[in-house]
Structure formats: C-alpha cells, structure tokens
Amino acid sequence: MKQAAHGPAETGSGTSDLLASDRSAGSGETSAVRVPAQGRAVAPAPSTSGGDAAAARGEHTHSERPMPQAPPAAEPARPVVQRSSVRGQILQALRSALVTGELRPGEVYSAPALGERFGVSATPVREAMQQLALEGAVEVVPNRGFRVVERDARELSELAEVRALIEVPVLLRLARTVPAVRWAELRPLAEATVRAAASGCRVTYAEADRAFHRAVLGLAGNAQLVRIADDLHRRAQWPLGGAAVGHARTELMADAAQHVGLLDALIAGDAEGVRVRLGEHFGTTGS
C-alpha cells in the first residue's frame, strides 16, 4: 500500500505511558509511549573488564546527562508490572514508539536510560532493543546504545513492491477459491480499521491494519506466508527520517476504505474489482 512519511514526535515522561500504549491498542484512543531525549554524546570513559561486551550490547551510561525527574508529588503512581511479561511489554512499547516517531530516526538511545524511563532494569530494554536490531529497526552503536535506523522513500517503495509480489498473487488466487461466507466473516476486522483510522491514532491503526491483512492471508492456510508478510508490513509502518510523522487522518481513512472495498469485491466474487482494488491498495496495477 502507499506509505506516508513519518518523523519526530513530542516526547514526555512516566512509566505509566508504557502501559498506556498497550491499553490504547484497539481502543481508538491516541496515546504514545514517551521515550527520553538523549544527551549529547561525549568521549566514553576508559573501558574496564567486560567493557567491550557491554558496548556491543548498547549498555553505555556515562555519556548521557542525568534525566530530569518530576517532583515526587507530581509523579504518577506506577502500575505494577508483571515481571514475567515485562520484556514483551517493553518490546511492544518500543514498537509503538517507532510507529509514532517518538523513537526518532538517527537518534541513539541507551538501554539504561530507557529502563529508567520505564521504571525497569536495563536488561529487558536491552533484550527488546536487540530484537528490534534483528528486525532492522535499530543498530548497535558501541559504547553508546542503539541508533534508530534512518530510512528513505526508496526503501519504503521497495518494501511495498515486495509486499505486492507476495500478497497480490495469493489474494487473486483466494478470490477464485474462497466462498463468500468466509470473506464475510472478516467484515468486523475491515470495519475495525475504519474506526482506528477515524481515531487518528497511528498505533491503533497500525495494529488494526496488520490484523486485517493477517486474517485475509490466513485463508491461504500457510503460516510461513502470514509470518513473512506481517514482518514486511510492520517494517513498512516505521517512519522515514526527517519527515513529518505518520499518516494524516484523511490518508488513514482512505487506506481503511480500501480494505472495505476490497472485501466487498471478494464477497461479491468480482474478480476484476478485486484486481483493481489490490492495485490501488498496493500502488500497483494489480497484474
């Protein structure tokens, strides 16, 4: 689908923002994880035993200015975080911050600083950041932390092309073989993307958008296809460096309307209509 440019968003503070991001997904409420602004990098202190390994993990702490703290009376009560799921919560929060642009392309973030912001140790943050590094969202900067990868319009275009090569042929085949009643079962997911678009919340829309595409491709009965396509879709939702954040509400609404139009054509058994709507959605001719 056509992708809009993303860019920096205003940052804030508080561990409660971390869990607020999880609560907002699917609710239509605009909320965002707040991540700390990073201080100017200075020359790292001499390494000690194990320092090289720490640098490789992005553990640096001594080159950052102390983070400002709110007065105790003004600091909100921190909700209890289940330790068994804290890594997953942090990973989800960081992914949401990528979508909103709060993790800014080109900026370096250290695990200890982010951990302090979220009210957890550096370990689950580091693990989550290492997962994002495997996904190509960030890269390790020795002795400093993790830099959010800067992407350009060409990379977005390439992702859209690969997604189309994978999804369009599958959907054209499914359009000929899946009965209308099965397509009709996906109506709530298509309508959920419309509600998410109307909310203007980029995180909520990103989740609803991917959920719809996963369900459509899931009818092919190929779990590997769904996994690969979803990973490409997630990457396509990350912001561009130096550009305005996210889709405008009107662009989100247009994208969601394409989901509804595509589903209508699938239910009606309109093969040509499916082809045309796929071309609109992925920015191709649909051939």
Side-chain angles (χ1 to χ4, degrees):
M1 70 186 70
K2 296 179 180 178
Q3 302 294 325
H6 299 269
E10 188 175 333
T11 59
S13 64
T15 307
S16 59
D17 289 325
L18 164 62
L19 299 183
S21 173
D22 291 334
R23 289 196 298 268
S24 69
S27 66
E29 297 179 0
T30 301
S31 65
V33 176
R34 302 300 180 188
V35 296
Q38 302 294 294
R40 181 185 308 168
V42 298
S47 60
T48 58
S49 59
D52 291 341
R57 295 194 302 268
E59 294 189 25
H60 182 64
T61 59
H62 54 263
S63 68
E64 301 177 49
R65 295 197 299 266
M67 295 177 58
Q69 299 294 325
E75 200 171 301
R78 290 181 174 179
V80 176
V81 175
Q82 297 296 321
R83 306 310 298 180
S84 61
S85 63
V86 65
R87 178 186 176 278
Q89 293 182 57
I90 295 294
L91 180 58
Q92 180 59 38
L94 293 173
R95 282 174 169 166
S96 296
L98 282 170
V99 172
T100 63
E102 290 185 76
L103 282 178
R104 302 182 180 189
E107 291 289 321
V108 176
Y109 299 89
S110 73
L114 289 172
E116 181 179 352
R117 177 65 68 186
F118 292 150
V120 299
S121 72
T123 299
V125 177
R126 186 180 304 110
E127 292 172 348
M129 280 297 216
Q130 288 169 344
Q131 176 61 38
L132 291 178
L134 291 175
E135 296 175 5
V138 301
E139 57 189 8
V140 175
V141 181
N143 294 316
R144 293 185 64 193
F146 300 86
R147 177 184 290 114
V148 179
V149 173
E150 294 187 86
R151 296 145 23 99
D152 55 24
R154 177 175 180 175
E155 183 174 346
L156 267 185
S157 178
E158 290 173 349
L159 282 168
E161 181 180 3
V162 175
R163 287 189 62 213
L165 288 171
I166 292 175
E167 296 192 43
V168 170
V170 173
L171 282 170
L172 290 175
R173 173 170 59 83
L174 292 176
R176 299 190 299 269
T177 59
V178 174
V181 64
R182 296 295 305 280
W183 293 120
E185 292 172 355
L186 304 185
R187 178 73 69 184
L189 290 175
E191 293 174 347
T193 67
V194 175
R195 292 192 299 273
S199 77
C201 176
R202 291 177 294 277
V203 173
T204 302
Y205 185 76
E207 291 297 329
D209 184 19
R210 294 202 342 270
F212 174 76
H213 280 264
R214 284 196 303 268
V216 170
L217 292 176
L219 293 177
N222 187 327
Q224 296 303 312
L225 167 71
V226 174
R227 180 184 61 80
I228 292 171
D230 189 57
D231 179 64
L232 289 169
H233 197 168
R234 187 194 303 279
R235 291 171 184 246
Q237 293 172 333
W238 299 336
L240 294 176
V245 174
H247 296 280
R249 186 186 301 259
T250 54
E251 292 174 314
L252 292 177
M253 291 294 294
D255 196 66
Q258 290 172 0
H259 293 153
V260 175
L262 173 61
L263 193 59
D264 286 342
L266 289 166
I267 292 172
D270 180 2
E272 183 58 27
V274 169
R275 186 181 299 274
V276 169
R277 284 162 179 77
L278 284 173
E280 294 171 349
H281 199 55
F282 287 96
T284 69
T285 63
S287 60

